[in-house]
Amino acid sequence: MTVRIGFIGSGFARRVQLPGLALVPEARATAIASGRRSNAEAVAREFGLPHVFDDGVALATSPEVDLVIVSSTPDSHARYAIAALEAGKHVLCEKPMALDAYEASQMLAASGRHPDRFAWVDHELRYEPNRRRARELISSGAIGAVRHIELSLKPYLRGDGRPQAADAPWNWWFDGARGGGILGAVGSHLIDLCRYWTGSDVVYVAGLVETFVTERTDEAGVKRPVTADDFTSSVLRMASGAVATITLSAVAHHGPGHLGQVTGTEGTLVLTGETKLELAKPGGGRPLEDVSAPDDLWEKTKPNNMWARSFVRLLRDMVRVIGGGAAEGEPASFRDGWQVQRVLDAIRGGRGVRLD
């Protein structure tokens, strides 16, 4: 069985997802949609796609598509994902899942009406080898009960490998009404990791977002206000009892990049960058042990980063499941995406919120 895939959105899909499709057996890209038809036509020429649409709903209802990958801006995710599910398609939706928890709940309800269709959120870090190994080590009791998780990212490097320049021109990423900002772009992934690692939901949230660069110039030279966050910090309490802290900055000029530490009663896991995982047991002076997982997709994707490599693994799993096989990983469902969206809303609210 060959799964025919249609992509809504011509940005991230063009730079990461379509190139990665070459590494996914039994899948074929058949369609592309963009609000700017010229963009969709350019992608179609580059990748040899036979069907071009200037509206995502038209692609979502096309008989030439089995799986719809929604990679458009977050303000359109709900509309396109619901249309695809109602048309009997499987859906892989980019994150953040929606603009808010209400939209996410509508998407979740649509997936509930079509239980024979697979509806996943592209939280691909669940498929990153070191983060997956961290989950296995935690589940096996290697570090005991998890007490706290610390996650940070600075400076910010986009998932398609582009650096976030301090003077980056204004685009949708800086528009809160369209779902821009670092909280949705990266925070959604890290909140999901906390849930994935602990096997529990977030029950309390305290956090804030900040916009330090309040004006940027667009490509036409027009000054535009920035309404999306470029910094966020939050504290989460998990139902398991663990506490997590997350700090993200798109304006930091220097830093270690991705950094994570999971502290348990019997040990510590340290994630450095995209490729290193270390384990330490309690005791003064005991060295960290390198327990990094091998990555068989190293230098096979373009760009060669954990986002692109992990997307390939996630999509392989989804195609396998659509074909009747069992999932090899633990994909994020629309229910997972809705739970993450509730946390994002609470952080943006800027006050302590108990989630029942």
Side-chain angles (χ1 to χ4, degrees):
M1 173 186 177
T2 298
V3 176
R4 301 169 302 167
I5 301 178
F7 293 83
I8 301 176
S10 58
F12 190 69
R14 181 181 197 171
R15 292 186 292 269
V16 176
Q17 294 175 332
L18 277 159
L21 199 60
L23 298 167
V24 183
E26 300 181 348
R28 177 168 57 94
T30 58
I32 181 75
S34 173
R36 295 182 180 179
R37 188 177 181 88
S38 59
N39 289 351
E41 289 174 342
V43 174
R45 287 192 299 270
E46 183 177 351
F47 293 95
L49 309 186
H51 303 286
V52 175
F53 300 90
D54 55 14
D55 179 69
V57 172
L59 181 147
T61 57
S62 169
E64 304 299 329
V65 172
D66 305 309
L67 166 62
V68 175
I69 297 183
V70 182
S71 293
S72 50
T73 53
D75 57 317
S76 63
H77 286 181
R79 177 184 177 217
Y80 295 147
I82 292 171
L85 287 166
E86 300 292 5
K89 314 297 184 182
H90 305 288
V91 176
L92 176 61
C93 184
E94 267 304 321
K95 46 78 248 165
M97 181 176 173
L99 279 182
D100 54 37
Y102 174 72
E103 281 192 351
S105 70
Q106 292 181 309
M107 297 164 70
L108 176 59
S111 69
R113 291 192 296 271
H114 301 279
D116 59 334
R117 301 293 93 180
F118 297 103
W120 294 4
V121 180
D122 188 19
H123 283 307
E124 65 264 51
L125 291 188
R126 290 176 174 230
Y127 287 81
E128 195 281 315
N130 283 317
R131 285 149 183 81
R132 189 169 178 175
R133 175 162 287 181
R135 158 78 165 175
E136 293 166 354
L137 289 167
I138 292 167
S139 298
S140 70
I143 62 169
V146 175
R147 285 177 167 163
H148 58 84
I149 301 169
E150 301 163 81
L151 297 168
S152 66
L153 172 60
K154 53 184 180 179
Y156 174 49
L157 190 69
R158 289 176 181 259
D160 57 16
R162 293 179 298 165
Q164 178 66 33
D167 59 349
W170 186 95
N171 57 28
W172 75 266
W173 201 92
F174 300 105
D175 186 349
R178 299 184 71 187
I182 195 168
L183 176 61
V186 182
S188 58
H189 282 298
L190 302 190
I191 294 163
D192 184 68
L193 273 185
C194 293
R195 298 178 65 254
Y196 172 62
W197 282 339
T198 63
S200 65
D201 283 324
V202 179
V203 294
Y204 180 82
V205 183
L208 57 81
V209 294
E210 185 61 74
T211 304
F212 286 109
V213 181
T214 58
E215 185 179 77
R216 290 181 183 269
T217 302
D218 65 19
E219 292 181 350
V222 178
K223 291 186 179 299
R224 305 284 293 270
V226 175
T227 57
D229 51 273
D230 52 25
F231 173 88
T232 180
S233 186
S234 57
V235 179
L236 319 176
R237 183 178 294 281
M238 314 302 296
S240 67
V243 174
T245 60
I246 299 173
T247 300
L248 306 170
S249 176
V251 295
H253 302 296
H254 306 285
H258 286 277
L259 188 64
Q261 182 168 316
V262 184
T263 299
T265 55
E266 303 298 331
T268 303
L269 294 171
V270 179
L271 283 153
T272 306
E274 299 186 357
T275 59
K276 192 170 186 179
L277 174 64
E278 296 171 296
L279 169 66
K281 292 293 186 178
R286 298 184 67 172
L288 290 167
E289 175 190 358
D290 191 335
V291 292
S292 303
D295 192 329
D296 63 323
L297 291 177
W298 181 257
E299 294 188 334
K300 292 182 180 179
T301 62
K302 184 179 180 180
N304 179 38
N305 63 21
M306 69 179 180
W307 306 101
R309 297 190 299 270
S310 301
F311 171 77
V312 168
R313 292 188 179 90
L314 185 154
L315 191 56
R316 284 176 176 175
D317 215 20
M318 191 165 200
V319 168
R320 182 184 302 110
V321 170
I322 291 172
E328 293 185 354
E330 298 178 61
S333 67
F334 271 22
R335 179 166 293 278
D336 291 313
W338 169 68
Q339 290 283 16
V340 169
Q341 193 71 56
R342 296 176 71 211
V343 179
L344 298 178
D345 289 1
I347 294 170
R348 290 192 180 103
R351 58 187 177 87
V353 177
R354 186 171 299 281
L355 300 178
D356 54 17

